[in-house]
Amino acid sequence: MTTVSDHALRQGAGQVGRTPRGAAAPRRPAEAGPTTVTAEHGDVYVEPGLTPLSAREANRSALTALLDSAGVPHFAVRGTSDHGTVVAVAEEDRDRVLGVVFRGLGQYPGHLSVIDPDAPRPAKPVSSRDPRAWRDVTGARVLQISWSRTDPGRHLLLGHEYGCAIEFWQRQGTYLLAPRANRATWAVAADGGNVLGSARLFSRFVSDWTPRHLAPALPTRPEFLVNCADDIAFPVDAVYTWVDGNEPAWQQRKAQAKGEVYHAESASDARFISRDELRYSVRSLHLFAPWIRNIYIVTDDQVPAWLREGVPGLRIATHREIFRDRSVLPVFNSHAIESQLHHIEGLAEHFLYFNDDMFMGRPVAPHAFFTPNGTARYFPSRNRIPQGPVTETDTPVDAACKNNRALLKERFGKVITQPMEHIPYALRRSAMEEAEQDFPEAWARTAGSRFRAMTDLSPTSSFALYYAALTGRAQPGSMPFTYLQLAVPDLADRLQRLLDGRDQDSFCLNDAFSTPEDIEAQQELLDGFLDSYFPTPSPHER
């Protein structure tokens, strides 16, 4: 696969609308100079370990270091953008602010834009090397400053969107007044002191469980410490189910149980292939969902070879740990395994369930999956569940949907008609616990089905979501996403469009219909695509 080209860097650096989501900004001017790529529209700084959050924090710390060097008081503002940050200074300090910003951008060139809060659209950023960038700064109410960054392979480019804005607050009597709206207040006490505020207050892409070295508390004013109605302060975990189908011990267990296969699709080798997607899906959380508290990987006594165990924030949960009836083990049925996820010790009430072929595609806030009051969002498919009872010609997927429909109709008098899209499933632990209690026979039958069977429920991808909805804990939502079946002839072109666009909140690379002949060619394409889309390793990799 191709990487972001020099031409793309020239076209993308400093252009908010064209900047791929996933690239970062430069080091603070006080530090040693980073490697740069001088491009047509300005300098791009090459930085290892690049993430959107690191770009955002680097821009903020670079700018506040400049203000501190000049002795300019400042405080963080709860701005309306989740990508960048905002700091406020008093209008009377404008000359000192402009002077130190001019010197800092002279030493480490970046990008600058004058923001008019009343303008219909934001001004485009201009390279600080260009005299036009400084034309209107003396009367600006808000300035946005950034240093564009890319990873060493030049796959990601993070630009002005992740910059830090300086707002000039006007003194009026005993108050400082904001030049534009923010999420909390128009005014703070002019002579008030700073307090530390959780990083969560300043971006919805951060939670109280994001590591402090990635998202430190910021000096702000007490007026910004309020809990707003649209804040999500509860923890959200992520759960994966994963299997290494190439492991001999696992293959032996599967071979011993294989006589129970009920449907040809159930025994498809593609269902059990590990293409290393899990490593990259975890990377996608590190890059684009740093608000996740804990990641749990559910396995059949397996550990991915790349995993660095013991790093806080990720834990292996084995089938033996979560299955209430261990006599049914081993199982090779994802429906059975999913029926036990809510038994993971320590799992949060709100969690996202991922198949290992699901990925975050750009920075996504928890609000995409849960409302601030904790209601889960589910994403109905445009497809429809086939009518009628289960027949022997149904696929196991359709059979499970029909089984779901029959039980829920009997219990609630409502008919479900749509399966779910292949988007991470936002689940409520309590809803799964209650569903298991309400339907103990069907739940136990699913848990005890070693391979997919026509009597299964689909616990996470449909049943628990509709059960939560019918008990007032879930509601339908929508999300930009892509579902890409790998067994398509134009796979290379589709992957390239996905890589070039980077405009989907999530995507799924599904291989349910791949044949052994397909797999080698697909793998070469996938390796290049995944390395390019997610070049920054997570802290959980060796």
Side-chain angles (χ1 to χ4, degrees), residues 274-541:
S274 173
R275 299 178 181 271
D276 223 14
E277 298 107 317
L278 178 62
R279 178 207 298 258
Y280 293 97
S281 186
V282 171
R283 285 189 184 187
S284 80
L285 297 185
H286 175 61
L287 280 163
F288 304 135
W291 41 269
I292 291 289
R293 183 186 68 166
N294 290 318
I295 300 170
Y296 297 93
I297 301 176
V298 176
T299 76
D300 185 8
D301 287 320
Q302 296 179 315
V303 178
W306 52 265
L307 183 65
R308 208 168 115 217
E309 293 190 83
V311 177
L314 187 149
R315 184 171 74 80
I316 296 290
T318 68
H319 295 179
R320 289 180 293 104
E321 173 190 334
I322 68 173
F323 269 77
R324 286 296 178 259
D325 180 3
R326 296 182 185 176
S327 70
V328 304
L329 298 176
V331 296
F332 307 90
N333 176 5
S334 61
H335 290 157
I337 299 164
E338 291 162 4
S339 75
Q340 305 296 299
L341 297 184
H342 55 292
H343 297 150
I344 295 173
E345 184 179 356
L347 180 66
E349 162 67 10
H350 301 83
F351 69 98
L352 301 182
Y353 170 54
F354 288 75
N355 301 132
D356 63 2
D357 58 4
M358 293 176 175
F359 307 84
M360 297 295 197
R362 59 183 178 182
V364 177
H367 299 67
F369 298 99
F370 298 98
T371 67
N373 70 359
T375 301
R377 302 186 195 274
Y378 61 91
F379 306 96
S381 168
R382 288 170 292 181
N383 296 327
R384 293 297 183 269
I385 300 169
Q387 294 295 317
V390 175
T391 68
E392 62 181 14
T393 59
D394 283 329
T395 66
V397 171
D398 286 341
C401 287
K402 290 182 175 182
N403 294 332
N404 296 341
R405 179 176 63 198
L407 283 182
L408 292 171
K409 180 182 179 182
E410 179 183 350
R411 170 71 168 78
F412 298 102
K414 300 288 183 71
V415 175
I416 64 171
T417 60
Q418 294 167 270
M420 299 297 170
E421 298 287 11
H422 288 70
I423 294 172
Y425 307 114
L427 295 165
R428 295 285 299 270
R429 187 178 187 180
S430 62
M432 291 192 70
E433 290 171 344
E434 291 177 22
E436 182 177 23
Q437 293 168 8
D438 276 3
F439 305 96
E441 293 181 4
W443 212 269
R445 186 166 53 245
T446 300
S449 177
R450 284 201 166 131
F451 291 89
R452 286 196 173 186
M454 307 302 268
T455 56
D456 283 354
L457 304 176
S458 48
T460 54
S461 62
S462 176
F463 194 93
L465 297 169
Y466 279 121
Y467 185 91
L470 293 169
T471 56
R473 285 169 285 189
Q475 65 183 40
S478 62
M479 172 182 291
F481 85 102
T482 289
Y483 173 80
L484 178 54
Q485 179 54 250
L486 298 183
V488 293
D490 59 343
L491 178 61
D493 290 340
R494 295 192 188 196
L495 290 174
Q496 190 62 51
R497 286 196 295 271
L498 190 57
L499 179 63
D500 291 342
R502 292 182 178 268
D503 56 358
Q504 303 296 288
D505 284 354
S506 71
F507 58 88
C508 176
L509 305 178
N510 190 274
D511 60 358
F513 301 102
S514 297
T515 65
E517 294 73 27
D518 296 330
I519 291 170
E520 185 175 352
Q522 291 174 0
Q523 193 63 51
E524 185 176 355
L525 292 174
L526 277 179
D527 286 344
F529 169 79
L530 293 172
D531 274 327
S532 297
Y533 208 112
F534 309 109
T536 303
S538 79
H540 306 291
E541 296 182 37

Side-chain angles (χ1 to χ4, degrees), residues 228-242:
C228 295
D230 61 349
D231 289 346
I232 288 183
F234 52 79
V236 180
D237 289 340
V239 176
Y240 289 91
T241 50
W242 176 81

Side-chain angles (χ1 to χ4, degrees), residues 62-355:
L63 188 56
T64 56
L66 289 172
L67 298 176
D68 290 340
S69 71
V72 176
H74 57 85
F75 56 88
V77 174
R78 295 183 68 171
T80 57
S81 169
D82 292 310
H83 294 286
T85 49
V86 182
V87 296
V89 297
E91 172 62 35
E92 57 257 36
D93 291 321
R94 177 183 293 270
D95 288 345
R96 284 196 295 163
V97 170
L98 294 181
V100 74
V101 166
F102 185 82
R103 290 194 298 273
L105 287 172
Q107 183 179 4
Y108 290 91
H111 291 85
L112 184 71
S113 64
V114 173
I115 298 176
D116 180 357
D118 301 321
R121 60 181 60 88
K124 291 184 177 181
V126 180
S127 169
S128 62
R129 296 177 183 269
D130 189 331
R132 292 175 297 175
W134 304 94
R135 183 175 298 162
D136 300 316
V137 297
T138 56
R141 290 184 281 174
V142 184
L143 297 176
Q144 177 96 352
I145 296 165
S146 68
W147 293 267
S148 297
R149 294 187 178 211
T150 187
D151 65 287
R154 303 187 193 177
H155 302 296
L156 304 177
L157 178 63
L158 291 176
H160 206 58
E161 180 175 21
Y162 298 92
C164 185
I166 300 177
E167 293 183 348
F168 295 94
W169 286 48
Q170 297 276 353
R171 184 181 294 271
Q172 188 174 99
T174 59
Y175 292 97
L176 290 176
L177 302 184
R180 59 177 178 173
N182 56 61
R183 283 183 173 147
T185 182
W186 280 99
V188 300
D191 297 324
N194 284 355
V195 295
L196 285 179
S198 167
R200 170 181 62 82
L201 301 174
F202 306 100
S203 174
R204 299 185 303 170
F205 297 135
V206 177
S207 75
D208 286 332
W209 295 273
T210 304
R212 294 296 178 265
H213 69 280
L214 300 178
L218 302 182
T220 188
R221 291 299 182 87
E223 291 88 345
F224 290 111
L225 299 184
V226 296
N227 288 316
C228 295
D230 61 349
D231 289 346
I232 288 183
F234 52 79
V236 180
D237 289 340
V239 176
Y240 289 91
T241 50
W242 176 81
V243 62
D244 179 2
N246 296 319
E247 183 189 53
W250 183 88
Q251 289 177 338
Q252 184 177 11
R253 292 195 295 274
K254 179 169 175 276
Q256 291 172 349
K258 204 167 183 179
E260 298 180 25
V261 175
Y262 193 91
H263 190 282
E265 182 189 330
S266 304
S268 168
D269 286 339
R271 188 172 298 282
F272 304 107
I273 291 171
S274 173
R275 299 178 181 271
D276 223 14
E277 298 107 317
L278 178 62
R279 178 207 298 258
Y280 293 97
S281 186
V282 171
R283 285 189 184 187
S284 80
L285 297 185
H286 175 61
L287 280 163
F288 304 135
W291 41 269
I292 291 289
R293 183 186 68 166
N294 290 318
I295 300 170
Y296 297 93
I297 301 176
V298 176
T299 76
D300 185 8
D301 287 320
Q302 296 179 315
V303 178
W306 52 265
L307 183 65
R308 208 168 115 217
E309 293 190 83
V311 177
L314 187 149
R315 184 171 74 80
I316 296 290
T318 68
H319 295 179
R320 289 180 293 104
E321 173 190 334
I322 68 173
F323 269 77
R324 286 296 178 259
D325 180 3
R326 296 182 185 176
S327 70
V328 304
L329 298 176
V331 296
F332 307 90
N333 176 5
S334 61
H335 290 157
I337 299 164
E338 291 162 4
S339 75
Q340 305 296 299
L341 297 184
H342 55 292
H343 297 150
I344 295 173
E345 184 179 356
L347 180 66
E349 162 67 10
H350 301 83
F351 69 98
L352 301 182
Y353 170 54
F354 288 75
N355 301 132

